[in-house]
Amino acid sequence: MLAELSIKNFAIIESLSLSFDKGLTVLTGETGAGKSIIIDAIHLLIGGRGSAEFVRFGAEKAEIEGLFLLDDDRHPCWQKCADVGIDASDGMIVLRRDIFANGKSVCRINGKLVTTAVLRDIGATLVDIHGQHEHQELMDPSRHLPLLDEFGGLEAAEALARYRAVYERYEELGKKLKKLSENEQQMAHRLDLLMFQLREIEQAALEPGEDERLMEEKVRIVNFQKIYTALQKSYEALSGEGRGLDSIGEAMRHLDDVAGMDAALKDAHETTSNCYYLLEEVMYKLRDQIEEMEYDPERLDAIESRLAEIGQLKRKYGATIADILHYAETIAEEIETIENRETHVHELKQQLALVTDELLTEAKNVTAVRQTYAQRLIERIHQELKDLYMDKTKFDIVFAKREGSLDAPLVDGVPVRFQEDGIDVVEFYISTNVGEPLKPLVKVASGGELSRIMLALKTIFSKHQGVTSIVFDEVDTGVSGRVAQAMAEKIYHIASQSQVLCISHLPQVAAMADTHLLIAKETDGERTKTVVRKLNEEEKVKEIGRMISGVEMTELTKRHAKELLELAAKMKH
């Protein structure tokens, strides 16, 4: 859950530190007090788009930091952190986002600098923000299929995984066939280029490791005099009467006379003997090397010329000789393919036909699986809508095929187009009045109905998503009365499975809160700032009364507020 949130110099917030508990936390306050600003801060904390406009006027940067506590060892956040090398072994995740006045943004997770994309990827496993914009998601038919598959969970994932494994082969074969089916002129130009490149590499007659050996030889020639002098002096120091090897030989002979008298002397004699013979071997090698050494400036020119040739090939075809040779093998295969294009096209068409049949089978299986859990989702949504006083509403999920070109494979007489998520097009249909036909959701539902449909979906999906915290930003807009009470109970039900932060203007929702935070604006004479205060029981009554009647608090309003709190307490227990 989100345990701590710190905000500094963000919009009209100068400095704010909030602690959150499990369950349902409701944030209320007058319009414009800054409730949505707090949600905006959380949105930026989990990777939302940043802007210099968020920085408080006169400040250098805005700072947002959040502490999340995770008690689930299987939470997807752990693996995502491990994938990018973030230590998260203590059950805590700290996200931080700094937005500077020049528009730049710095993101950190547990102190490690990360990109906004990484922050967004990990943040998505921690917080799920739902606001009035979610209605737009429901109004977008392209989002209906992902929502359906989200409900399908493991069942959907397994069917799609089998489909996608075949789809990858289908795409790969299609690309190869398209490449070979390009016009004659393009293929001729491509063949000329590849032939030129292959000849250039083959004429160079490269050998693996050749450049390294040449560099070593170049170093020896360039440093000829230094090496020769060192070898000569080393040889002289070892050879000759009274020199190093002669002295060690004399020591070996003296120890030989007494080695049998003492075990320690025997060891010393053996060690000295070994050293003598090893150094003798070294001396002979030095002598041979000195005799073989010859300064050859022409050889140096040849080496430099060869290294330059290899360097030019590296710039064109690969960073190493191994890369160049591998590239040569690759283009040789492509040349063979182009030269025997008709044969390869025929083979690819045969392979593609087989894979297409296999893909079509998997696509039909995905459709069948989807239709199974689509029916379960329809039943669940009907039950949730009934709880929200939409029991006369009919909801359906309509399947169609994604249409392809005329020569595409046929399903039920319709040419279909394969995509990564299958061949299905899914759209939510609804009828909110008895006797009315089902129509696309986008053409029927009102604002209040969309709020309830979205909440019904969220109630269902909250069990599947596994996020740590869910944020509702005024999702209860457009409802009142008994519907508002039903929505309040739904939101509380979601909070029993995941921490929920909810901005609301409904007294029924506020009454259900486990924690009630009041957002207000204060002016110190020069600047306006947002403050947040946790309400006690008496203050809850006052705030809920304000939400019921406005500014003026009457005894009747006060009794009504208390009654709401008492009813909420009974419902909870």
Side-chain angles (χ1 to χ4, degrees):
M1 69 171 192
L2 174 60
E4 301 281 343
L5 179 67
S6 173
I7 306 171
K8 292 182 180 178
N9 297 322
F10 184 77
I12 61 172
I13 297 175
E14 181 180 21
S15 181
L16 193 61
S17 184
L18 299 173
S19 297
F20 297 101
D21 295 317
K22 292 182 179 180
L24 174 59
T25 297
V26 175
L27 295 82
T28 66
E30 298 282 1
T31 301
K35 301 185 296 298
S36 291
I37 292 175
I38 294 173
I39 304 304
D40 288 340
I42 295 174
H43 186 251
L44 283 169
L45 185 63
I46 60 171
R49 186 182 296 275
S51 168
E53 294 176 3
F54 287 118
V55 181
R56 183 174 168 84
F57 179 73
E60 181 183 332
K61 64 178 179 177
E63 303 171 30
I64 310 164
E65 193 167 36
L67 167 65
F68 294 84
L69 303 179
L70 303 179
D71 54 9
D72 183 359
D73 294 337
R74 294 172 297 176
H75 195 284
C77 178
W78 298 131
Q79 186 58 49
K80 288 185 179 291
C81 285
D83 291 343
V84 291
I86 295 172
D87 180 23
S89 56
D90 54 0
M92 295 191 298
I93 300 289
V94 178
L95 306 186
R96 182 182 174 92
R97 183 88 178 265
D98 294 343
I99 300 173
F100 292 82
N102 61 7
K104 291 184 178 179
S105 179
V106 175
C107 310
R108 289 184 174 86
I109 300 177
N110 282 6
K112 179 182 174 69
L113 281 169
V114 296
T115 63
T116 308
V118 170
L119 182 68
R120 188 182 305 117
D121 189 35
I122 292 177
T125 68
L126 299 172
V127 180
D128 188 15
I129 298 179
H130 290 266
Q132 295 180 63
H133 69 280
E134 293 298 320
H135 299 170
Q136 297 170 13
E137 183 180 62
L138 283 176
M139 302 295 271
D140 180 3
S142 68
R143 289 291 304 141
H144 295 176
L145 182 60
L147 284 170
L148 175 62
D149 286 341
E150 188 178 318
F151 176 77
L154 184 60
E155 195 176 357
E158 289 176 347
L160 280 168
R162 291 192 297 270
Y163 169 84
R164 284 169 180 157
V166 183
Y167 180 76
E168 285 180 11
R169 302 206 318 266
Y170 171 82
E171 283 284 282
E172 185 181 351
L173 287 170
K175 288 175 182 175
K176 286 182 178 178
L177 187 58
K178 183 180 178 181
K179 193 172 182 180
L180 276 178
S181 301
E182 291 174 346
N183 67 53
E184 294 280 348
Q185 190 176 13
Q186 286 179 321
M187 295 301 288
H189 288 166
R190 176 70 177 164
L191 183 61
D192 287 345
L193 174 63
L194 295 177
M195 292 289 286
F196 170 79
Q197 292 178 341
L198 186 61
R199 280 196 302 272
E200 187 175 29
I201 295 172
E202 287 178 342
Q203 286 170 1
L206 297 172
E207 296 178 7
E210 180 184 0
D211 51 344
E212 295 172 3
R213 294 193 297 272
L214 288 173
M215 280 301 298
E216 291 173 2
E217 188 178 354
K218 178 182 175 180
V219 169
R220 289 196 299 272
I221 295 174
V222 169
N223 295 281
F224 175 85
Q225 189 60 48
K226 186 176 182 180
I227 294 171
Y228 183 86
T229 301
L231 290 175
Q232 187 71 35
K233 288 187 178 298
S234 298
Y235 177 74
E236 290 173 358
L238 289 173
S239 66
E241 188 174 348
R243 296 298 177 95
L245 198 61
D246 197 27
S247 298
I248 294 173
E250 186 178 352
M252 180 179 67
R253 288 190 293 276
H254 286 309
L255 287 171
D256 187 38
D257 294 338
V258 295
M261 303 176 186
D262 189 318
L265 293 175
K266 184 178 180 181
D267 289 342
H269 173 258
E270 288 179 358
T271 302
T272 305
S273 298
N274 289 337
C275 291
Y276 176 83
Y277 293 119
L278 284 171
L279 286 171
E280 186 178 46
E281 187 177 350
V282 169
M283 182 189 71
Y284 292 142
K285 285 183 179 179
L286 290 174
R287 183 192 63 192
D288 293 344
Q289 248 182 306
I290 291 168
E291 290 174 354
E292 291 172 2
M293 284 189 73
E294 181 181 357
Y295 181 68
D296 186 357
E298 291 182 0
R299 175 59 182 162
L300 180 60
D301 292 340
I303 290 172
E304 289 183 336
S305 175
R306 180 62 170 170
L307 286 172
E309 181 185 7
I310 294 172
Q312 187 175 10
L313 292 173
K314 284 181 178 180
R315 285 190 292 274
K316 289 182 178 181
Y317 308 121
T320 65
I321 288 179
D323 291 340
I324 297 169
L325 295 174
H326 176 71
Y327 179 73
E329 291 176 5
T330 303
I331 61 176
E333 291 176 5
E334 189 174 349
I335 288 169
E336 191 276 332
T337 300
I338 294 173
E339 288 178 337
N340 300 281
R341 187 170 56 153
E342 290 184 6
T343 302
H344 286 287
V345 166
H346 179 68
E347 290 175 356
L348 282 173
K349 283 182 177 179
Q350 288 182 321
Q351 292 177 37
L352 189 60
L354 293 172
V355 171
T356 300
D357 289 342
E358 187 181 351
L359 186 60
L360 195 56
T361 300
E362 291 297 339
K364 288 178 179 178
N365 178 62
V366 169
T367 301
V369 171
R370 276 179 176 149
Q371 287 173 338
T372 300
Y373 56 75
Q375 192 56 46
R376 294 201 298 268
L377 179 58
I378 290 168
E379 293 169 3
R380 289 286 306 279
I381 289 176
H382 277 148
Q383 182 57 52
E384 295 296 336
L385 292 177
K386 183 178 179 181
D387 295 342
L388 292 167
Y389 298 100
M390 292 181 71
D391 49 318
K392 303 297 183 185
T393 297
K394 290 183 180 179
F395 180 87
D396 198 10
I397 300 174
V398 176
F399 281 77
K401 302 301 177 194
R402 190 177 285 115
E403 292 193 24
S405 57
L406 293 175
D407 59 345
L410 297 177
V411 176
D412 300 329
V414 177
V416 296
R417 178 162 52 94
F418 296 111
Q419 284 197 334
E420 192 176 10
D421 57 0
I423 58 175
D424 299 317
V425 176
V426 162
E427 187 168 2
F428 295 163
Y429 273 55
I430 195 169
S431 170
T432 56
N433 297 300
V434 176
E436 292 293 322
L438 287 160
K439 294 180 181 179
L441 183 65
V442 65
K443 297 180 180 179
V444 178
S446 66
E449 288 168 339
L450 282 171
S451 294
R452 283 181 276 174
I453 295 168
M454 192 281 293
L455 190 56
L457 289 169
K458 191 71 250 170
T459 304
I460 295 168
F461 290 143
S462 63
K463 298 177 182 178
H464 298 269
Q465 292 174 323
V467 291
T468 302
S469 305
I470 298 173
V471 178
F472 289 122
D473 185 8
E474 299 186 8
V475 296
D476 46 24
T477 301
V479 298
S480 59
R482 63 177 188 168
V483 175
Q485 181 61 39
M487 290 191 75
E489 292 174 8
K490 285 293 177 193
I491 291 172
Y492 183 77
H493 174 70
I494 296 171
S496 67
Q497 301 176 46
S498 179
Q499 180 194 48
V500 172
L501 312 179
C502 180
I503 289 180
S504 179
H505 291 290
L506 290 179
Q508 293 91 337
V509 175
M512 296 296 295
D514 297 310
T515 304
H516 191 154
L517 300 179
L518 177 64
I519 319 293
K521 282 196 297 190
E522 290 183 356
T523 305
D524 59 8
E526 296 181 359
R527 296 293 298 275
T528 299
K529 62 181 180 180
T530 294
V531 294
V532 180
R533 189 171 79 255
K534 184 177 179 180
L535 302 184
N536 58 32
E537 290 303 314
E538 186 177 339
E539 290 169 331
K540 284 182 184 179
V541 172
K542 185 178 178 181
E543 174 61 10
I544 291 173
R546 180 198 67 76
M547 296 173 74
I548 294 171
S549 63
V551 178
E552 186 178 352
M553 170 72 80
T554 65
E555 281 301 318
L556 181 61
T557 303
K558 192 173 183 180
R559 285 201 303 273
H560 190 184
K562 285 183 177 180
E563 185 180 359
L564 271 178
L565 286 166
E566 289 168 2
L567 288 171
K570 287 180 182 178
M571 201 286 292
K572 291 179 184 180
H573 295 93

